[in-house]
Amino acid sequence: MMNEPVFRPGAEGDIPELASRIKEVSPEVVDTLLKGLLPGISAEHILTMALRDKSTHYSYRNCVIAEIDGIIAGLLFGYPAEEHTIPPLMERMVPSSRLEPLRELLTMSVPGSLYINTLWVNQEIRGMGMADALMDYARFWAESLGKKSLSLFCWRDNERARAFYLKQGFIPVREIAAKPPITKFHESGDLFELKLESSS
């Protein structure tokens, strides 16, 4: 049985761990955008630089960490959907050949929602309720911001995650077709929305 998690805001000291977990959840997206972008610098290291930048929604300050007995058990990375855009620095640094295939994924959103960019659970405790606890926290977070819903993206071939989101009450609201080179990994995915009870 899982002990009760303790939630806390992400801190600068968490950045390397956050980058590692975000890449674990979306390796094909991170690599398509960042791998080989800067000579001698890994995609994960570039991601740490992005997380350190407090001026964009990719900042570590938009991360919430769940700890159990001092161990990171889960991660929630989210922000208001209106902020789900491509930062100007990314527009300048990342070649259009990398950026355009992912533009729709990096900008689509449900207005008025809290967009969940990343939800990660420590493999050692998967299936023990951590994902439910993270989703409960996301609801609380969204309501505290006055948001009417939660939104997120999920690939159609990620059957376990899709089943979890559907069980939580999420509904697919828009299909996004994958474009090369992402088609090597996925065919399509969906933007999902979960309307909050307090907004109905």
Side-chain angles (χ1 to χ4, degrees):
M1 185 175 179
M2 186 182 77
N3 292 334
E4 284 295 314
V6 175
F7 292 91
R8 66 171 177 82
E12 283 198 62
D14 297 314
I15 289 176
E17 181 79 8
L18 295 173
S20 177
R21 299 312 164 204
I22 291 169
K23 188 175 187 298
E24 179 183 332
V25 173
S26 302
E28 61 287 311
V29 173
V30 172
D31 282 344
T32 296
L33 289 171
L34 306 178
K35 187 175 182 180
L37 185 63
L38 298 174
I41 301 179
S42 68
E44 192 169 314
H45 185 73
I46 296 174
L47 189 54
T48 66
M49 291 168 21
L51 286 163
R52 196 165 275 116
D53 183 357
K54 299 176 184 178
S55 68
T56 81
H57 55 286
Y58 289 130
S59 167
Y60 71 90
R61 296 189 298 181
N62 284 328
C63 294
V64 173
I65 290 172
E67 289 185 338
I68 297 177
D69 301 327
I71 303 299
I72 295 180
L75 162 68
L76 187 64
F77 178 25
Y79 38 79
E82 292 72 22
E83 297 178 15
H84 189 54
T85 58
I86 299 174
L89 182 60
M90 183 184 288
E91 289 276 13
R92 293 194 299 270
M93 285 189 61
V94 180
S96 60
S97 59
R98 294 175 179 236
L99 201 53
E100 290 309 316
L102 291 165
R103 183 172 295 278
E104 197 170 12
L105 175 60
L106 297 173
T107 59
M108 64 175 183
S109 65
V110 176
S113 70
L114 176 73
Y115 184 81
I116 300 174
N117 179 298
T118 303
L119 188 148
W120 171 84
V121 174
N122 190 317
Q123 190 170 358
E124 294 183 6
I125 59 167
R126 287 178 188 172
M128 298 175 65
M130 187 69 247
D132 293 296
L134 287 167
M135 199 56 68
D136 287 343
Y137 190 93
R139 290 185 178 91
F140 166 76
W141 187 6
E143 289 173 352
S144 70
L145 293 174
K147 299 303 177 184
K148 298 180 180 179
S149 64
L150 297 172
S151 61
L152 54 84
F153 176 82
C154 184
W155 297 110
R156 289 192 171 181
D157 54 33
N158 191 344
E159 296 179 0
R160 180 171 181 171
R162 288 179 69 89
F164 170 74
Y165 296 135
L166 290 169
K167 185 177 179 181
Q168 288 285 320
F170 281 87
I171 296 173
V173 295
R174 178 178 168 188
E175 179 183 1
I176 301 297
K179 299 175 182 176
I182 298 297
T183 47
K184 293 187 293 185
F185 311 99
H186 311 285
E187 290 185 2
S188 65
D190 293 287
L191 177 66
F192 282 82
E193 181 183 21
L194 170 64
K195 293 186 178 179
L196 302 175
E197 293 182 5
S198 60
S199 67
S200 56

